[in-house]
Amino acid sequence: MMVSKESCRNEIRAAIGQLSERCLHSAAKWAGEQLVGIEQDPSNFTPSNTRFQRGSSSIRRRFSTNESISTPQPSVGFSQAAATPLREEDEVIDADLYFLAKSYFNCREYRRASHVLRDQMSNKSVFLRCYALYLAGEKRKEEEMIELEGSLGKSDAINRELISLERELSALKRTGAIDSFGLYLYGVVLKEKGNETLARASLVESVNSYPWNWNAWSELQSLCTSIEILNSLNLSNHWMKEFFLASTYQELRMHTESLAKYEYLQGIFSFSNYIQAQTAKAQYSLREFDQVEMMFEDLLRNDPYRVEDMDLYSNVLYAKEACAALSYLAHKVFLTDKYRPESCCIIGNYYSLKGQHEKAVMYFRRALKLNKKYLSAWTLMGHEYVEMKNTPAAIDAYRRAVDINPCDYRAWYGLGQAYEMTGMPFYALHYFRKSIFFLPNDSRLWIAMAKCYQTEQIYMLEEAIKCYKRAVNCNDTEGIALNQLAKLHQKLGRDEEAAVYFEKDLERMDSEGLQGPNMLEALVFLATHFKTHKKFEEAEVYCTRILDHSGPEREKAKSLLRGIRMEKTGFPSMDMEHFPL
Amino acid sequence: MAGLTRTAGAYSVTPHKISVCILLQLYAPSAQMSLPFPFASVSQHNRLGLYLLSLTKSCDDIFEPKLEDLVNQLREVGEDMDAWLIDHLTNRFSSLTSPDDLLNFFTDMRGILGSLDSGAVQDDQIILDPSSNLGMFVRRCILAFNLLSFEGVCHLFSSLEVYCHSSSAQYDASNDNLESLIQHDQMDMEKYIMDKATEEIELHKNASGSVPFHLHTPKALFKVTEGLLVTRKEKSRGNTKKTEATPLACSSSSTVDDTLVDESLFLRTNYQIQGFLMEQANAIETHGSSLSSSSIESFLQKLQNLAPELHRVHFLRYLNKLHSDDYFAALENLLRYFDYSAGTEGFDLVPPSTGCSMNGRYEVALLCLGMMHFRFGHPNLALEVLTEAVRVSQQISNDTCLAYTLAAMSNLLSEMGIASTTNVLGSSYSPVTSTASSLSVQQRVYILLKESLRRADSLKLRRLVASNHLAMAKFELMHVQRPLLSFGPKASIRHKTCPVSVCKEIRLGAHLISDFSAESSTMTVDGSLSSVWLKDLQKPWSQPVFSQESGSRKSSTFFQFCDHSVSIPGSVSQIIGASYLLRATSWELYGSAPMARMSTLVYATLFGDTSSSSDAELAYLKLIQHLALYKGYKDAFAALKIAEEKFLTLSKSKILLLKLQLLHEHALHRGNLKLAQRMCNELGGLASTTMGVDMELKVEASLREARTLLAAKQYSQAANVAHSLFCTCHKFNLQIEKASVLLLLAEIHKKSGNAVLGLPYALASISFCQSFNLDLLKASATLTLAELWLGLGSNHAKRALDLLHGAFPMILGHGGLELRARAYIFEANCYLSNPCFSVSTDSDTVLDSLRQASDELQHLEYHELAAEALYLMAMVYDKLGRFEEREEAATLFKKHITALENPQDEELNMA
């Protein structure tokens, strides 16, 4: 089902107007981004109009010829009513009051805004009044949260408007005098009150009748904590649903499905920054760092003052140890908006990379002050505490991350690591198991678990071997697993298996052009092994390879070669000894 | 993070504390204030003081009382001046009209505190000592208020308003809740119900734990739906309280499932909450899973919302889940608790002096985890974890934890059937365990116990010392003491257990009662006393006995107060109770039925209420078993019914086990072998499939299987089962069980007519009994031995009789019905087969015994033996020529034989 670009464009255009009329600014912002993301109709625009869009490389794509130039069409089916501008039923005086309320709202004077609209009965006014009231409550709640912070982290600050809002909205809903925006707000209120089932129902109703409100979709997404819930939702088909599904899949760690959705959407919204950032996020989860870096560079070129998702970019840069680039990024976001959790996180990352862990912790703390539920900051702070050898603090930080999102495998892994550091490898195993449960295809986790089993306190080598085998199957790029497998088998006296793994390891090192002590070790073992098993050709090959290296192994190889020749010529050394000349 | 930077014992001013301050102003008016002194007598004044003290200490809830409750209580305390007190309180509150008034109020509060050094005090002025409990309270309030920012003062002020009008606010909230429920009637109700139902089912599953197959989904669904409707109806009647509210579900809270917190509620002080949580933990242990786990869960949820940094909640949740057998949730919460608190929050056993080190106390986590695995029946995991706990405790030299861990480990090793520890413990390098790597399991247990005892002794951990003594007694009871290092044939060894040392250890364990105060947690004792005092206030109020004079009422509360002040902490009485149970067990083994019964009765009467439910269950179990053995099945089944009502809800209830045992025994006696076999199989099915877990149960099951086979005359199969059982017992070092298995083998050979083969088994059993001092079992083995001798031929009758007479005192004094009957019949048999014995001259000797035997067997409904006795009787009568009596015996004989041959018929008749 390919939606025509033109109809999308028209729908979004109308929606932006309606959304910003209702002061749903972030939804309007999102819609605007997608609107500009649609490939433009070349006939209507001169190149100068497109300067905001994309780098030169993309411009060529923008004017692709295969686009069917469609006439503006009314949107299909159910959305038709909502796509057309809403009826202006309000009287002039209402409109005047509405303008005033809206201005107050825009100046963040929410209570004033809602007061102005106190007697207005039109849907639009009711929504704005309730929404303003809700935001006023939220604002007060945030303030109270700081004021009330007690000894036990008492966080019972609540939005005091919720009860009255719920009462009013539910009354409206009962009488049917509620529009889709009201339903959205009602869903939000219900969610805040912890009534998730009803909230979901209300939000679904809202997005089904008015699909362009991204806020509603994202609230709905936060309520879809499992694939079962997602599948149970009764959503009408609309292209906005694809956005929703893509982002939900991502949260549910179904990265490939999510990527497929985004790819499809990119067919329409070819230049959407949002889609690009989300794709990068998914790719990041699949550990395609190079690709992600390129995407973010591209993104920053087009949208240089973007702060959203930039913490992810900083993670990539951190992983690639690109100090300079990271500092550049940090500087840039710092100038843009220093009191964003993302900015603090980026700066924290930078200090961490520089080894200044105390400073890094300070910035992560700041990020958390700005957003208590900022998952990655908790985890990253845990890492810093591990570096600072403050295990209890690290464990605490990781645990908080896990309690915010129990699927965060990094935090589980961190917990395991921290406990292993305190000398409790057996206890740590549980956490490693947890982390592997959420990310079974990561060789690093398997290797960490194997190392745990290998510690002298536990010393369960069979289990370690199993883990290393899994790591090998998960494409262990660092090659630790093969080497360890060989060594473990050697230790357990299973020379045949050891030889197999040493050979594999050797193969891997050859293909990657690596050298080093591991290589020598493998060669020496293989040479001796094959000699004792009388496979002289192989043994000779390995011996000669050892001769390429310097060091004490050379002598060993030489003596091995001598021994091989002796045995090959039919005068085994043993016999020589038996008949001394 | 937050847990580490938090200042300990932070304190906040709340409206309730302001009330207490106002009352304190009355209690100790300052010199400047010109209030009339309202108290008529000193005792009245003291009573108010006592009340205020209790208010600051009691730990009966997590929330501070509301103004309403306070006023109600004041009515109780104030006696004739209650109106005055309440008036003053409300007036004072209404005079606080602006934040500035609050500021002035607290400035005034300073006046009631006397300065520490002031010598010149007016005579008639009552001065609050600043370092007294109440003085401290005032000082902390003042300090906390001074620390408040202006916003804080504003918050306090607005919450004061809510406090004064709390009842109306609460009504609003509940109304609102109702509306939200009603309005979704049509569209969402069904879905809502479904969700609720699945939730409840989950809950039921968790709660019922071990018997999930009893749950039928549709029924549960129906029930839940019904329940929901009921609650809705109730709500519409304006009733905000759920019906099943236990005393635990905090009575002051509003609707249970509302996640929004009632604003008029404030948490008590940290100290009080900890005390409350501790009491809850005790309650969970005492009542086991019969306590509604969801009600605990709901208050924990509330507490967590209000105090997310109070990590003790997670621990309590762990305990709750542990007792409702929810392994995953228990594990999850245990780990969470230790992740957050680093093992430093709320643990009594960590002496405060050592404080919170930088490293945290994760070894305690390991200890708890190990015990959890133990409880869930994962012995190997538990052993691994405990080994790690030992290692970590040693590394950071936490001797307290080490002592506990060693005790837990020895407990594990002695309870679980672990054949050899080398594969588990061999890998560890910890000094304690590795020195013992070549030792057997029992020796290891012994060493661990000794080590633990030594450490506990030096650390003055009284309770641990006591329970270690008990463990030691158990060990001494079951094991022959041998020198640890000098093995070999030359070492002079007395192969006997030592009852004296068992007795000594038990007594040492019970010594705890004399010095329990040394290691008591003052927090709970203090707090619980206060809450008891407060509760007593309400007692006469709830009873319609107002005619009592105030004087007598006072004295009664006074006595109760005294009574409670000498009450022992629950954990102590639990250990002492355990010592009585152990005493009972040891008497049981040593073979003194009356002593065993007496100890059990002492336990059941004195400690039945305070101890953990599993212990109480055990006591009931012992008493019922005693009834079955000595009084017959009728009484036993009647008693079982009572016990079932009480304990069947427990997880891992032993009552079911007992029931199966009794039914099996009963079926065997009545000759209903099919039923016996079925019971036997069910018994085996109760045991866990894991190696080494539930050893006792497994041994019991196969012992019974062998006996069933024996009764079915499948001798070779019975012998096979018994042999393999013997091997198992040997492998897992179950010495006492070995003795009974040997006896069973002798019995099998006797029945199969192979007396010669049976003899060595009987002798071996006797020697086992001797070395373990199992006197009763020895008597019964002697009886079997005598029977075997007689089986070799009538020329051995004399020897057999001698043997029997040697064992007679024991058998008649302590034996159960069956054993005694057997002995009587055998005695008669001996006489009859003795060629020198003439029936006509000495008939009474024989007849008396036989009559005794048949009477006792009637009680037991043991058809086979009864028939035998009656047969003999008839023969004797026949010889004597007393035909009438002969006929009577013969008809009875016939009745028993038919009953034996058609057990099903009788079954039907009974039904």
Side-chain angles (χ1 to χ4, degrees), chain A residues 138-258:
Chain A
E138 283 295 293
K139 198 174 146 201
R140 185 74 203 119
K141 181 175 112 182
E142 305 253 301
E143 289 164 5
E144 267 183 20
M145 219 124 80
I146 308 288
E147 290 167 17
L148 286 175
E149 216 158 46
S151 56
L152 295 173
K154 187 175 169 186
S155 66
D156 63 336
I158 45 161
N159 187 337
R160 277 152 208 283
E161 310 300 334
L162 286 184
I163 290 175
S164 62
L165 279 177
E166 196 199 349
R167 197 174 305 164
E168 176 169 2
L169 289 170
S170 65
L172 282 179
K173 177 158 190 214
R174 229 182 359 256
T175 54
I178 195 166
D179 64 352
S180 38
F181 297 103
L183 281 170
Y184 152 68
L185 190 57
Y186 187 42
V188 172
V189 168
L190 284 172
K191 184 190 153 201
E192 290 277 301
K193 287 201 74 177
N195 196 344
E196 299 206 345
T197 327
L198 287 181
R200 232 175 274 137
S202 181
L203 286 171
V204 166
E205 208 178 320
S206 168
V207 296
N208 277 344
S209 59
Y210 188 87
W212 301 281
N213 183 0
W214 181 243
N215 283 3
W217 287 107
S218 42
E219 290 292 339
L220 189 58
Q221 185 243 297
S222 70
L223 287 171
C224 292
T225 43
S226 73
I227 186 74
E228 288 78 24
I229 296 178
L230 179 65
N231 289 337
S232 71
L233 295 181
N234 182 20
L235 294 169
S236 322
N237 274 329
H238 189 269
W239 50 265
M240 282 294 282
K241 185 183 166 188
E242 307 298 315
F243 276 106
F244 164 73
L245 285 178
S247 114
T248 314
Y249 284 151
Q250 194 161 42
E251 278 307 303
L252 297 175
R253 297 188 313 286
M254 300 158 67
H255 300 298
T256 40
E257 288 87 341
S258 166

Side-chain angles (χ1 to χ4, degrees), chain B residues 149-219:
Chain B
S149 59
F150 186 73
E151 290 101 315
V153 178
C154 288
H155 273 290
L156 180 60
F157 186 71
S158 51
S159 52
L160 259 181
E161 278 174 1
V162 178
Y163 178 69
C164 294
H165 313 281
S166 56
S167 49
S168 53
Q170 200 190 339
Y171 185 73
D172 271 9
S174 70
N175 243 8
D176 170 64
N177 213 31
L178 166 74
E179 255 176 61
S180 77
L181 253 171
I182 286 178
Q183 93 198 44
H184 292 288
D185 259 353
Q186 292 85 17
M187 56 170 275
D188 296 317
M189 203 56 210
E190 246 170 294
K191 205 171 176 200
Y192 186 60
I193 286 173
M194 279 300 283
D195 277 8
K196 259 294 201 239
T198 40
E199 232 168 73
E200 292 276 317
I201 287 166
E202 292 293 312
L203 221 102
H204 274 278
K205 249 188 224 159
N206 295 345
S208 55
S210 53
V211 279
F213 49 82
H214 286 311
L215 191 85
H216 300 292
T217 317
K219 217 189 216 168

Side-chain angles (χ1 to χ4, degrees), chain A residues 140 144 147-148 150-156 158 160 162-164 166-167 170-171 173-174 186 190 192-195 197-198 200-202 205 232 365 368 378 381 385 388-393 395-397 399-403 412 415 419 422-428 430-431 433-434 456-460, chain B residues 1-7 9-11 151 155 172-173 176-177 179-180 182-184 187-188 191-192 195 258-261 263 265-267 270 273 305-311 314 331-332 334-336 338-342 357-360 362-363 365-366 369 381 384-385 388 391-392 395 427-429:
Chain A
R140 185 74 203 119
E144 267 183 20
E147 290 167 17
L148 286 175
S151 56
L152 295 173
K154 187 175 169 186
S155 66
D156 63 336
I158 45 161
R160 277 152 208 283
L162 286 184
I163 290 175
S164 62
E166 196 199 349
R167 197 174 305 164
S170 65
K173 177 158 190 214
R174 229 182 359 256
Y186 187 42
L190 284 172
E192 290 277 301
K193 287 201 74 177
N195 196 344
T197 327
L198 287 181
R200 232 175 274 137
S202 181
E205 208 178 320
S232 71
R365 266 179 191 283
L368 287 167
W378 280 118
M381 197 161 81
Y385 277 127
M388 290 157 69
K389 302 270 179 296
N390 185 352
T391 327
I395 287 174
D396 191 278
R399 175 46 91 166
R400 275 162 210 275
V402 165
D403 277 348
W412 284 118
L415 276 170
Y419 278 114
T422 45
M424 295 161 66
F426 199 78
Y427 199 77
H430 173 81
Y431 292 105
R433 244 176 258 137
K434 275 269 192 194
E456 55 181 331
Q457 291 99 315
I458 304 183
Y459 214 68
M460 293 160 95
Chain B
M1 174 197 77
L4 293 172
T5 53
R6 191 182 70 231
T7 51
Y11 201 76
E151 290 101 315
H155 273 290
D172 271 9
D176 170 64
N177 213 31
E179 255 176 61
S180 77
I182 286 178
Q183 93 198 44
H184 292 288
M187 56 170 275
D188 296 317
K191 205 171 176 200
Y192 186 60
D195 277 8
D258 201 340
T259 48
L260 289 182
V261 186
E263 286 169 43
L265 290 174
F266 287 90
L267 283 183
N270 213 336
I273 291 177
N305 279 344
L306 284 170
E309 294 295 332
L310 184 75
H311 305 305
H314 302 303
L331 178 66
E332 184 59 44
L334 181 71
L335 295 180
R336 178 175 292 135
F338 282 103
D339 285 347
Y340 276 134
S341 68
S357 66
M358 186 61 175
N359 300 317
Y362 296 107
E363 66 278 6
L366 288 168
L369 185 65
L381 264 179
E384 279 288 351
V385 174
E388 190 156 288
R391 198 177 53 236
V392 177
Q395 258 168 22
S427 60
S428 72
Y429 61 80

Side-chain angles (χ1 to χ4, degrees), chain B residues 24-31 37-39 45-46 111-114 121-129:
Chain B
L24 269 170
Q25 264 181 343
L26 291 178
Y27 177 69
S30 63
F37 189 72
F39 302 102
H45 190 228
N46 284 345
I112 71 168
L113 285 176
V121 188
Q122 290 163 18
D123 284 345
D124 57 341
Q125 199 193 336
I126 298 146
I127 291 291
L128 215 53
D129 182 1

